[in-house]
Amino acid sequence: MAEVPRAGTGEVDAAVAAARDAFPAWRAVAPGDRAAIMRAIADGIEAKLDTIARIEARNAGKPISDANGEIGMVVETFRYYAAGPERLLGKTIPVAGGVDFTFREPMGVVGLIVPWNFPLAIASWKVAPALAAGNTVVLKPAELTPLSALELEKIALEAGLPEGVLNVVVGPGSTCGQRMVEHPDINKIAFTGSTEVGRSIAEGAAGTIKRVTLELGGKSAAVVFADADIDKAAAAVPYAVFGNAGQDCCARSRILVERSQLDRFLEVMEGTVKAMRVGDPLDSSTEMGPLISASHREAVASFVPDERNVAFRGGVPEGPGYWFPPTVLAPVSNTERAAREEIFGPVACVIPFDGEEEAVRIANDTEYGLSGSIWTRDGGRALRVARAIDTGVLSINSNSSVRVSTPFGGFKQSGIGRELGPDALDHYTEVKNVYYSTEEGS
Ligand code: NAD
């Protein structure tokens, strides 16, 4: 659908140099003026929302209705962080002999490395707070989905962002990404992607003591108690696994169901999954598109080597496309590979449990801790279990994961730091403490 340049380490170095040059002037822009540019970027994206959503849908194979929602979120994210420049508040701290106060200072050049599953949405979660805080940016989209980031760069320049403040480098992770991680003039890396690459980034960043935030993989649980509205839960929960064809770090790919309601749950779920509209991403009624690539489809298929554990599947269209049907494995033990590793495809494991204690134990029996859901009509239980599950983002009687105004990120090997909400600004600033002596004669 397009040809893009393939950058190498030389282009990364040039982008970093441009960002470094642009930093002093950008940090000095008055907060209100920085806010106005960010609002203009939001307006520019909104004006081209349909075009960018179409690019994203075609490039990533995601349903156009999802792409519209994601680009809408990008607009919202820039508007939300447009308030940031004027809210970088410090503190005053009582001390003896003077006055003590803090500033939140920009970090300098920040390197942002993002994946292909929500290309521009995830980029905006990083770019917007980074710019709001007065940093300059080198952004590297994933190799498979570079197009929407290039659109963002154009729109930002048209909106009045000075040259060199946002630089998009399109190239492979193994060369460009790695160079960014090692580059002595990049002060922070914010990364979203696999836990494996995240680990190598944390190691690489140690060389220059870079600040690092990591949003990594997940293997989250939707816990359905017998006292839940079972029909409602069974109709909703599939969308928390099969949305974006399962290529979602927040996918609740382990569905824990209290044994007494397992049969009823599976019966309703089967109806929902078989009715799911899998097909052409550009058709507005499509709910699930194909996977991102042939090699990714192979990786997903390796989790379903035969039909033995398959309870039921949805359908896929005939013809070309990296299709993989929505697939439900049941009953699954939490020790099986499909229940332990992130599949990143439309494969759900239904795991029966007996009682609250066992539900919490199984939900926490994973190296990840990104999201999760609790389905129950017992309010006390909902809060007890919410406190007991080791995960960064939880929803009760809902599939909700991500909102612009609330913090998002993982426990355990799902990451370090938080994006979105007010917390993200902390991760793009350094705290400076200043003591001012008020002693006479000073
Ligand atoms: P990936 O880790 O393969 O790649 C992500 C980005 O890192 C790409 O831009 C890639 O080019 C770059 N990269 C690859 N190797 C690199 C290296 N050695 N040094 C620097 N950069 C490098 O991930 P992916 O396959 O694009 O995305 C899928 C993964 O992302 C899944 O594991 C998923 O859970 C995770 N994810 C997490 C979140 C979250 O917020 N926690 C959100 C979306 C996706």
Side-chain angles (χ1 to χ4, degrees):
M1 62 180 288
E3 285 193 17
V4 292
R6 181 192 173 94
T9 53
E11 281 78 17
V12 171
D13 291 352
V16 175
R20 181 63 47 206
D21 287 351
F23 176 60
W26 178 242
R27 76 179 298 185
V29 171
D33 296 342
R34 218 153 63 217
I37 293 174
M38 295 197 53
R39 280 193 293 271
I41 297 175
D43 293 346
I45 300 165
E46 194 168 45
K48 289 194 180 155
L49 194 146
D50 291 345
T51 310
I52 304 173
R54 216 180 137 80
I55 289 172
E56 204 82 309
R58 289 185 65 209
N59 194 178
K62 63 174 66 234
I64 187 71
S65 57
D66 291 357
N68 275 317
E70 284 170 35
I71 307 305
M73 190 192 194
V74 173
V75 174
E76 214 190 313
T77 303
F78 274 95
R79 292 215 170 112
Y80 179 82
Y81 285 108
E86 291 165 309
R87 295 207 187 140
L88 293 168
L89 305 179
K91 295 183 176 133
T92 56
I93 300 162
V95 288
V99 180
D100 195 285
F101 44 93
T102 64
F103 293 97
R104 298 216 72 108
E105 303 283 16
M107 291 176 153
V109 179
V110 298
L112 313 179
I113 302 177
V114 297
W116 45 257
N117 55 342
F118 299 103
L120 197 59
I122 290 178
S124 74
W125 303 352
K126 297 173 166 42
V127 173
L131 295 181
N135 302 285
T136 54
V137 169
V138 176
L139 167 66
K140 196 198 85 57
E143 295 89 314
L144 293 171
T145 52
L147 301 177
S148 51
L150 292 169
E151 290 301 310
L152 172 66
E153 190 180 39
K154 275 190 264 174
I155 289 170
L157 286 172
E158 284 162 17
L161 193 73
E163 292 252 356
V165 174
L166 170 62
N167 307 274
V168 177
V169 176
V170 176
S174 54
T175 52
C176 292
Q178 195 165 336
R179 177 69 184 150
M180 287 167 69
V181 172
E182 289 165 358
H183 204 297
D185 283 340
I186 290 186
N187 303 84
K188 178 211 163 110
I189 293 284
F191 169 79
T192 297
S194 58
T195 296
E196 189 188 351
V197 174
R199 197 170 287 122
S200 86
I201 286 179
E203 285 168 11
T208 47
I209 314 289
K210 278 188 181 52
R211 281 74 184 124
V212 180
T213 44
L214 303 172
E215 300 288 350
L216 308 175
K219 193 71 196 175
S220 301
V223 184
V224 183
F225 287 99
D227 60 22
D229 180 338
I230 294 295
D231 289 7
K232 185 177 165 199
V237 163
Y239 289 93
V241 197
F242 302 133
N244 213 40
Q247 303 164 125
D248 182 348
C249 53
C250 286
R252 277 74 159 172
S253 53
R254 294 183 300 145
I255 302 171
L256 278 49
V257 183
E258 196 152 12
R259 203 178 302 272
S260 62
Q261 288 296 329
L262 183 63
D263 291 346
R264 174 71 191 156
F265 183 89
L266 287 172
E267 187 188 325
V268 178
M269 187 183 183
E270 181 167 2
T272 307
V273 170
K274 290 193 166 158
M276 211 164 248
R277 291 187 293 272
V278 183
D280 179 0
L282 295 181
D283 179 336
S284 61
S285 67
T286 293
E287 294 178 301
M288 191 182 119
L291 294 173
I292 188 80
S293 66
S295 62
H296 187 55
R297 181 167 66 173
E298 260 177 53
V300 171
S302 77
F303 286 91
V304 193
D306 52 50
E307 296 298 306
R308 249 180 308 163
N309 226 3
V310 175
F312 46 85
R313 282 184 141 148
V316 290
E318 301 277 314
Y322 307 126
W323 302 107
F324 196 92
T327 300
V328 176
L329 309 179
V332 175
S333 149
N334 200 51
T335 56
E336 290 175 43
R337 179 177 170 238
R340 302 214 71 79
E341 294 179 24
E342 184 180 48
I343 300 175
F344 223 55
V347 180
C349 295
V350 175
I351 303 171
F353 69 87
D354 296 295
E356 194 175 305
E357 204 177 307
E358 192 183 25
V360 170
R361 187 184 58 70
I362 297 174
N364 284 339
D365 180 17
T366 167
E367 65 194 26
Y368 296 111
L370 188 55
S371 76
S373 303
I374 300 160
W375 294 82
T376 176
R377 281 186 279 210
D378 177 336
R381 163 175 277 170
L383 290 176
R384 262 193 322 274
V385 175
R387 295 300 305 272
I389 295 185
D390 301 328
T391 189
V393 182
L394 266 175
S395 52
I396 297 165
N397 297 326
S398 157
N399 288 334
S400 164
S401 290
V402 176
R403 286 165 200 278
V404 172
S405 57
T406 59
F408 174 73
F411 281 28
K412 302 194 277 185
Q413 294 191 31
S414 286
I416 299 175
R418 291 293 178 271
E419 302 202 286
L420 299 172
D423 302 54
L425 286 170
D426 292 349
H427 290 291
Y428 289 97
T429 49
E430 296 276 14
V431 175
K432 180 183 286 170
N433 189 70
V434 177
Y435 173 75
Y436 197 141
S437 167
T438 53
E439 300 287 328
E440 271 186 52
S442 62

